[in-house]
Amino acid sequence: MTSAISLPIRLEQLVGSDRVVASESAVKAFAIAGRAPMAVLKPRSAEEIAEIVSFAAVEKLALLACGSRSKLELGMPPRHYDLAVDMTALRGIAHYDPGDLTVSVDAGMPLNELAKKLAAQKQFLPLAVPCSATSTAGGAIASGIDSTLRQQYGTARDFLIGAEFVDGTGKQCKSGGRVVKNVTGYDLHKLLVGSLGTLGVISRLNFRTFPLPELCGAHLAVLPTLETALNFHASLLNSGLPFSNLELFDSGFSALLSSHLKTIGEDIPESVRATGWHVFASFEGSEAVLQRITRELQKLADRAQAERSETLDLQHSHFVNEGLREAFDWLRRAAPGLSILRIALPGVKSVDLKQILDLSEPSPLRASFLLRACNVAYLAVLAANDNAQSIAILERGISALFSRVETRNGSAALLDAPPWLKERINVWGRQRPDFPLMQRVKQAFDPQNIFSPGRFVGGI
Amino acid sequence: MDIALIRELKTLLGPENVLSQKEDLLLYEFDGSVEKGRPEVVVFPHGTEDVSRIVKLAAKHQVPVVGRGAGTGLSGGALARGGGVMIVFARMNRILELDLLNRRAVVQPGVVNLDITRAVEHAGLYFAPDPSSQKSCTIGGNVAENSGGPHTLAYGLTTNHVAALELVLPDGEIVRVGSHHGDAPGYDLCGLFVGSEGTLALVTEITVKLSLKAGSVMTLLAIFDVVGDASRTVVEMTAYGITPVACEMLDGWTLRAVEDFIHAGFPRDSAAVLLIEVEGLREASESQAAAIREICHANDAREVRTARDERERELLWKGRRNAFGALGRLAPSNYVLDGVIPRSKLPEALEQIHAIGKKFGFQIGNIFHAGDGNLHPIVLYDPRDTEQFKRAIAAAREIIRMCISLGGSLTGEHGVGMEKNELMLLVFSDADFDLMRRIHDAFNPDSSLNPGKIFPLSKGCGEIHVRKSGPAAASPS
Ligand SMILES: Cc1cc2nc3c(=O)[nH]c(=O)nc-3n(C[C@H](O)[C@H](O)[C@H](O)COP(=O)(O)OP(=O)(O)OC[C@H]3O[C@@H](n4cnc5c(N)ncnc54)[C@H](O)[C@@H]3O)c2cc1C
């Protein structure tokens, strides 16, 4: 590796001085767990990305691509971090064919800007991810963060139809295409989803878009116990009613949600504030469809003996929906030292959930619980206070939780945790049997191991 | 073929699970495609361990291996292009576990697609991918090809319905990828292996996701006097954001052949029909159906019928599913193509197909998944006529080139196999091939598994095992 002094100059020679930032204050904004890169590059084209990556590969410089930087802390802190590649200058729509319901965007395209362009054609991308004010398309795909529209529209892999990216050898590659149905070649773009930038620098993404729903509605029920809430939740899933989002949360979570809504100045529906187990359902369609769903929901809630059952008005349903979509973001800022676990389970039986969530031993921890679509749960855990003893308790509590999930054939990952906890616990949980295959994939994409080394599963 | 290998295979599996006589092998020389390639020995494993041992034996003898399900593939994927051992999964056909509560089924690869639905429909569930061949094709083949069907328009391809896989790698190692819940942290390996056409690993167990049957289903048959009106209807439906769960088109020539065979109720004097299905809440499907009718009429549909009951609905679908078979009666052989175009280009594409047919002297039928732009032109030919066969291949290539030039793709569901591996050059660059080859070599470094597929022979992966004298090139059967 060349010395740090000459590096920025050499980078300037590579992509032009207006595309390189190396001042201390500027690179600090790209720091992860307190560590800043030596320089930040802001490419204007895929060709420039390729030049940067080729340079990094030759020089063995560790490189991390980023969008709005809202999720840089996901995963483990990178083992090495020399260059940040700021993708926000690449923010165009390359193709938009409203008549085909497909769009092709640069990776740095902010999702809210894209949403506006699509809305003008009465379309949208069902990628309802947190940090929506700033998130870029590339960041949302690379982070693999959950979308609250998953229940109806699936995850990004279900509507990402192609991608262009620069691999670890500095070559511009592509996978998939711009048509909605395609099985030509290996589906490499699926590997990019949730890969945290460890496989390539994504330059362009092709999506299938969807018609904007005519109307949206939402319903909130409060039930006395976890069992009754889960039964109600299951009755909704088996009802065949089309829900765009279906979430279940406890009083701890509803208290946090209420205070989040209060801080952003929104008036809070009464049922959110109520104690108990909440089941939130949102849905889309015509007036007649919404009426029908509302009717059936009321019936099912009555049958489940819900303590409260409320159809939210338009405004409230919007705010609760937004609040849930942003949950990851406000939860992580709700209290210093708070950790967010993402748990995926083969099934949600109340006995299992109770055991998994039992944080009373070795010493009580405070926790809030949110069950999202497809048996994915979020658990926000907080130690009683931040003295050494509490920290040790948190570590033990979370480790125990990991193993309880894993013995039930689930998997857990720490979505967010204070740096000191990441030093003690592998945020990705136990290594899975397919890990050696993941290493082969990584090696094929990034033979020099220059992309975000150490950030991903198993130290990839 | 090494006699010693055949002996060892017989010892391993029992002689009843090994075929090595020439006349027995003939049956495995073909699949649903126009290609050809003969294995030297065919084996029938009964479990994952068998598969692993077979693969290890083949590796020891340096002989290639190819997996095969029902052999209905249309791109030559299951043909032994490099000779060697063919592993037929037909006898690994057990459903191992049904987890109805969490909507999962764990199955062996030889299970026939429709049998999964049959096993779970009592609980209101079904397996969504519905290739027209679903009564005979296997889930292993579906996974390898990432197969689709009419309802892919709404519910996606096989890849959207697979949670986990058990695999045997070319060195015999048994590995599992994905998870029962389908949401484990790490790379989406299921996403990579599904659709890899048996070139990375053999699939020995599949955890599939089951779906809940929709409440109300309405099936419409829109009848047109002009083909262009039907294709414009599809374009407008898409543009207006109307999302049926299926939208199939049959042109007049095709529907007449179907009608003679099935009597599905397609009007013989029409130029094209659209078979459109909407699903969901009654309130939603009724208003969608109304909107669809309106667009059909605005585009001069002669008539839009609605199936009155399940029997009528089933009959219409039977007509669609058996269309290839019906056309098959018109000529000694037919070549079903598979290309994709952006949906807005449908009218143009159909006109071009017609023109290409004329140029090469063929009447080309069209019966296809119009809603997602997935074309299936069908060329009828006589395989004994070498010149005609060559013309059929040339016409096919021109059609696929046309798809690419319209911004489309080589294949929407049938796979690349050995039918289109050379055409991959139309879509991918050297850099793309380099990366795909590194992925290939990460799992199948010696190209011992299904050699000569997907990659153009000039781009590596398989040239070692594709014998010069072998049945590499497509030839009339
Ligand atoms: C009349 C007809 C209609 C059709 N309709 C459709 C349709 O609507 N949609 C569609 O997508 N396809 C369709 N097809 C094509 C075909 O049916 C599908 O590709 C199907 O998935 C192939 O399944 P199979 O069991 O016959 O596989 P095969 O043809 O035996 O094999 C296909 C590929 O899978 C590989 N393979 C098989 N089993 C395994 C395994 N266990 N592990 C690894 N690799 C394996 C083979 O090596 C080969 O590459 C149709 C075919 C016909 C003849």
Side-chain angles (χ1 to χ4, degrees):
Chain A
M1 204 203 298
T2 44
S3 77
I5 308 153
S6 69
L7 181 66
I9 296 168
R10 296 178 63 205
L11 290 168
E12 283 179 10
Q13 287 167 349
L14 195 68
V15 286
S17 57
D18 58 331
R19 298 282 126 188
V20 184
V21 188
S23 73
E24 203 179 315
S25 61
V27 296
K28 241 166 94 180
F30 290 76
I32 301 179
R35 182 203 212 137
M38 288 192 275
V40 179
L41 296 118
K42 202 167 177 177
R44 280 160 300 199
S45 65
E47 289 71 29
E48 278 183 9
I49 301 173
E51 277 177 29
I52 295 166
V53 174
S54 302
F55 178 83
V58 171
E59 304 282 326
K60 301 230 170 17
L61 296 170
L63 172 157
L64 195 141
C66 46
S68 72
R69 285 171 275 137
S70 61
K71 299 171 193 92
L72 278 189
E73 305 285 343
L74 282 180
M76 296 297 281
R79 254 193 317 272
H80 308 284
Y81 183 16
D82 302 308
L83 305 176
V85 178
D86 175 352
M87 296 297 297
T88 54
L90 270 160
R91 56 188 304 148
I93 289 188
H95 304 271
Y96 178 25
D97 305 301
D100 287 309
L101 284 96
T102 57
V103 69
S104 171
V105 297
D106 290 338
M109 168 61 110
L111 286 177
N112 60 0
E113 205 175 305
L114 177 61
K116 274 185 213 137
K117 298 253 162 69
L118 298 179
Q121 302 289 336
K122 297 208 174 80
Q123 294 180 7
F124 81 117
L125 187 66
L127 203 54
V129 294
C131 315
S132 60
T134 57
S135 268
T136 61
I141 293 302
S143 69
I145 196 96
D146 293 299
S147 155
T148 45
L149 290 172
R150 176 174 181 179
Q151 179 71 31
Q152 181 158 347
Y153 296 94
T155 58
R157 88 192 281 276
D158 298 316
F159 46 85
L160 179 70
I161 54 177
E164 292 172 29
F165 53 94
V166 174
D167 73 2
T169 70
K171 297 228 181 78
Q172 295 179 57
C173 303
K174 69 174 168 301
S175 160
R178 292 203 282 120
V179 281
V180 295
K181 191 173 176 189
N182 193 0
V183 298
T184 314
Y186 297 140
D187 257 358
L188 301 181
H189 50 287
K190 290 211 164 61
L191 291 168
L192 300 174
V193 180
S195 64
L196 283 189
T198 56
L199 296 180
V201 179
I202 302 170
S203 55
R204 188 165 286 171
L205 294 160
N206 305 338
F207 295 104
R208 173 179 193 164
T209 62
F210 294 80
L212 262 180
E214 204 178 317
L215 294 167
C216 298
H219 179 269
L220 191 62
V222 184
L223 293 107
T225 60
L226 175 61
E227 280 97 336
T228 50
L230 280 176
N231 285 340
F232 176 58
H233 184 260
S235 74
L236 300 191
L237 281 174
N238 292 325
S239 67
L241 296 171
F243 295 111
S244 47
N245 188 16
L246 197 53
E247 308 209 345
L248 180 157
F249 46 91
D250 66 2
S251 296
F253 184 86
S254 67
L256 289 168
L257 176 62
S258 301
S259 68
H260 161 71
L261 291 175
K262 210 167 359 178
T263 45
I264 59 169
E266 296 313 334
D267 126 55
I268 307 147
E270 217 178 299
S271 44
V272 174
R273 273 177 294 159
T275 53
W277 292 84
H278 297 65
V279 176
F280 172 80
S282 65
F283 36 90
E284 308 170 339
S286 64
E287 185 79 51
V289 168
L290 262 54
Q291 276 174 5
R292 159 91 187 269
I293 297 178
T294 310
R295 255 194 338 265
E296 304 243 342
L297 268 168
Q298 291 290 6
K299 255 193 263 168
L300 290 165
D302 289 348
R303 205 173 299 159
Q305 299 187 325
E307 288 171 344
R308 286 164 179 274
S309 161
E310 185 184 350
T311 303
L312 302 182
D313 62 33
L314 204 63
Q315 202 179 4
H316 279 148
S317 73
H318 175 73
F319 291 124
V320 177
N321 246 326
E322 292 276 292
L324 288 169
R325 151 167 144 171
E326 295 296 329
F328 162 76
D329 193 37
W330 53 258
L331 273 175
R332 64 181 171 171
R333 289 185 280 105
L338 183 137
S339 300
I340 306 172
L341 270 131
R342 181 185 189 274
I343 300 168
L345 293 165
V348 281
K349 282 203 244 106
S350 71
V351 264
D352 278 346
L353 262 191
K354 272 191 186 147
Q355 285 168 7
I356 289 172
L357 300 178
D358 182 3
L359 298 171
S360 55
E361 295 293 332
S363 291
L365 290 166
R366 280 190 287 151
S368 317
F369 174 74
L370 167 68
L371 178 65
R372 324 207 83 158
C374 306
N375 298 348
V376 170
Y378 279 25
L379 193 66
V381 187
L382 191 60
N385 49 51
D386 64 353
N387 59 29
Q389 201 198 351
S390 289
I391 289 172
I393 289 169
L394 183 63
E395 184 195 335
R396 265 182 288 149
I398 289 187
S399 299
L401 223 152
F402 264 103
S403 44
R404 287 201 295 274
V405 171
E406 282 156 2
T407 51
R408 285 170 180 79
N409 293 321
S411 46
L414 266 170
L415 272 188
D416 195 64
W420 50 260
L421 190 61
K422 288 192 180 182
E423 276 165 24
R424 294 161 201 230
I425 295 183
N426 182 346
V427 305
W428 298 110
R430 190 173 57 189
Q431 220 165 70
R432 300 170 40 80
D434 53 3
F435 178 66
L437 302 196
M438 293 187 194
Q439 283 177 305
R440 295 192 202 184
V441 168
K442 167 72 175 177
Q443 171 71 22
F445 271 85
D446 179 18
Q448 306 282 353
N449 195 17
I450 56 169
F451 293 136
S452 308
R455 225 181 144 196
F456 200 49
V457 175
I460 281 179
Chain B
M1 156 108 356
D2 197 339
I3 296 294
L5 172 59
I6 294 177
R7 214 174 30 237
E8 284 173 72
L9 286 167
K10 283 186 174 160
T11 312
L12 177 68
L13 302 166
E16 69 283 10
N17 290 311
V18 179
L19 301 177
S20 58
Q21 297 298 321
K22 197 173 164 203
E23 58 277 18
D24 292 331
L25 298 176
L26 276 177
L27 200 64
Y28 296 91
E29 194 172 83
F30 305 100
D31 62 358
S33 72
V34 297
E35 316 287 337
K36 188 172 162 180
R38 191 183 306 163
E40 286 150 299
V41 58
V42 171
V43 294
F44 299 90
H46 287 256
T48 304
E49 286 298 331
D50 284 351
V51 178
S52 165
R53 290 198 192 104
I54 295 164
V55 166
K56 281 183 186 153
L57 273 183
K60 189 178 92 183
H61 290 266
Q62 296 186 311
V63 179
V65 172
V66 55
R68 183 177 174 108
T72 66
L74 294 169
S75 57
L79 299 181
R81 192 170 200 183
V85 181
M86 175 176 282
I87 302 183
V88 179
F89 288 95
R91 296 178 194 170
M92 279 176 71
N93 60 354
R94 280 183 304 134
I95 294 180
L96 301 171
E97 186 194 329
L98 291 178
D99 176 3
L100 299 180
L101 199 64
N102 299 303
R103 298 185 192 161
R104 294 287 185 272
V106 183
V107 303
Q108 287 189 314
V111 170
V112 167
N113 172 299
L114 194 60
D115 286 346
I116 301 180
T117 293
R118 287 194 177 130
V120 299
E121 62 191 349
H122 66 275
L125 300 173
Y126 74 111
F127 179 56
D130 60 343
S132 303
S133 52
Q134 71 183 145
K135 278 188 182 153
S136 47
C137 68
T138 66
I139 176 73
N142 298 167
V143 166
E145 301 290 8
N146 192 11
S147 299
H151 292 82
T152 289
L153 181 57
Y155 304 122
L157 294 156
T158 302
T159 188
N160 305 97
H161 304 274
V162 171
L165 298 169
E166 180 191 70
L167 306 166
V168 172
L169 298 180
D171 61 2
E173 191 192 344
I174 301 169
V175 288
R176 288 181 165 276
V177 301
S179 60
H180 194 81
H181 52 77
D183 225 305
Y187 298 135
D188 179 8
L189 294 176
C190 274
L192 172 65
F193 284 101
V194 176
S196 61
E197 304 193 17
T199 64
L200 302 180
L202 292 164
V203 180
T204 49
E205 189 187 295
I206 304 108
T207 305
V208 298
K209 302 180 185 175
L210 303 170
S211 308
L212 193 65
K213 276 208 170 124
S216 104
V217 181
M218 286 175 80
T219 308
L220 309 177
L221 183 73
I223 302 156
F224 294 86
D225 292 326
V226 180
V227 178
D229 291 342
S231 50
R232 265 188 300 282
T233 300
V234 177
V235 176
E236 275 185 31
M237 260 182 352
T238 313
Y240 283 123
I242 295 169
T243 50
V245 293
C247 176
E248 304 282 304
M249 182 163 161
L250 288 84
D251 68 14
W253 188 61
T254 316
L255 68 85
R256 277 184 283 284
V258 171
E259 211 37 42
D260 290 344
F261 185 40
I262 309 276
H263 313 297
F266 300 140
R268 298 181 47 89
D269 61 344
S270 60
V273 296
L274 292 176
L275 184 57
I276 305 170
E277 198 153 270
V278 290
E279 268 184 18
L281 292 185
R282 192 176 33 78
E283 289 81 350
S285 42
E286 276 175 2
S287 66
Q288 285 227 348
I292 290 168
R293 267 192 217 102
E294 199 175 312
I295 293 180
C296 290
H297 287 304
N299 283 288
D300 298 326
R302 183 206 298 176
E303 189 188 347
V304 184
R305 295 182 193 161
T306 307
R308 274 169 302 199
D309 51 26
E310 188 54 29
R311 199 194 60 84
E312 260 188 38
R313 183 178 164 259
E314 199 30 60
L315 196 58
L316 288 174
W317 278 112
K318 193 174 166 197
R320 164 61 185 97
R321 272 194 300 269
N322 293 302
F324 294 158
L327 282 170
R329 304 186 335 148
L330 302 185
S333 204
N334 61 37
Y335 185 5
V336 182
L337 308 186
D338 172 40
V340 195
I341 48 150
R343 305 173 261 194
S344 57
K345 305 277 168 61
L346 200 53
E348 195 177 334
L350 289 183
E351 275 164 29
Q352 290 207 35
I353 290 172
H354 184 71
I356 293 169
K358 245 183 163 168
K359 176 174 150 191
F360 288 91
F362 292 104
Q363 169 86 43
I364 298 179
N366 287 289
I367 167 155
F368 61 103
H369 313 302
D372 40 29
N374 187 183
L375 305 171
H376 288 323
I378 304 172
V379 185
L380 301 186
Y381 69 96
D382 182 351
R384 286 159 302 198
D385 181 343
T386 314
E387 184 277 329
Q388 199 188 48
F389 176 75
K390 279 189 184 146
R391 261 192 295 127
I393 298 285
R397 300 220 155 161
E398 195 152 322
I399 289 173
I400 296 303
R401 279 204 178 83
M402 178 269 297
C403 292
I404 303 293
S405 72
L406 290 178
S409 177
L410 288 185
T411 162
E413 55 179 22
H414 294 169
V416 176
M418 57 192 271
E419 179 202 8
K420 291 183 183 149
N421 58 323
E422 298 304 331
L423 296 178
M424 289 280 276
L425 293 163
L426 295 175
V427 182
F428 293 109
S429 69
D430 280 351
D432 301 333
F433 283 120
D434 277 351
L435 177 58
M436 281 195 277
R437 192 176 52 220
R438 290 203 301 275
I439 288 287
H440 174 276
D441 292 354
F443 298 99
N444 185 12
D446 303 324
S447 292
S448 54
L449 194 57
N450 212 1
K453 309 292 170 69
I454 298 185
F455 293 84
L457 295 186
S458 61
K459 296 290 170 192
C461 292
E463 65 272 45
I464 322 156
H465 285 290
V466 181
R467 294 161 307 163
K468 290 246 154 38
S469 58
S475 55
S477 41

